């Protein structure tokens, strides 16, 4: 049974940084798509960033976070990290980790892709950015 466990959410001030972690346990595949999705207050879920675990390291990002957020992975631990810098109030959201089969083209793996095709979801971790 696959489980995704997130951690790292917190309350920070504008311009601050946080690092979210998500560890996938129970995965038998060495290569799968993993991503962060967020739900801001009053909004639907949106894909933030995604990458193929065990892939070549390429990642996709939501336009509004590109250059501020960075994905990294520890494939041996099936863990995905999201380093979030220069946080803004509009980044306030519940952040969810999602995972699913890797698409044939690795660049397709993204938060948006897993909004539709995720097989597993984490419980969510709250990020609050205040001015």
């Amino acid at each position: 049974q696959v489980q995704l466990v997130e951690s790292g959410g917190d309350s920070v001030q504008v311009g601050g940084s946080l690092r979210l972690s998500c560890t996938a346990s129970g995965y038998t595949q060495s290569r799968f798509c993993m991503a962060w999705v967020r739900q801001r207050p009053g909004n639907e879920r949106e894909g933030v960033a995604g990458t193929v675990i065990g892939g070549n390291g390429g990642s996709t990002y939501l336009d509004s976070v590109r250059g501020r957020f960075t994905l990294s992975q520890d494939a041996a631990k099936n863990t995905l990290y999201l380093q979030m810098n220069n946080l803004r109030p509009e980044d306030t959201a519940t952040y969810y980790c999602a995972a699913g089969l890797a698409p044939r083209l690795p660049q397709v793996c993204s938060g948006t892709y897993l909004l539709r095709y995720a097989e597993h979801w984490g419980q969510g971790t709250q990020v609050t950015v205040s001015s």
Side-chain angles (χ1 to χ4, degrees), residues 3-17:
Q3 283 190 316
L4 303 181
V5 178
E6 304 121 328
S7 63
D10 206 342
S11 296
V12 296
Q13 293 194 324
V14 170
S17 297

Side-chain angles (χ1 to χ4, degrees), residues 1-53:
Q1 182 178 356
V2 174
Q3 283 190 316
L4 303 181
V5 178
E6 304 121 328
S7 63
D10 206 342
S11 296
V12 296
Q13 293 194 324
V14 170
S17 297
L18 285 173
R19 188 194 197 204
L20 306 184
S21 301
C22 177
T23 298
S25 61
Y27 248 103
T28 56
Q29 299 101 316
S30 60
R31 184 176 176 275
F32 55 95
C33 180
M34 204 163 175
W36 289 96
V37 170
R38 71 184 181 187
Q39 187 163 20
R40 296 183 289 169
N43 289 271
E44 296 190 356
R45 291 189 180 186
E46 61 180 352
V48 175
T51 191
V52 174
I53 298 295

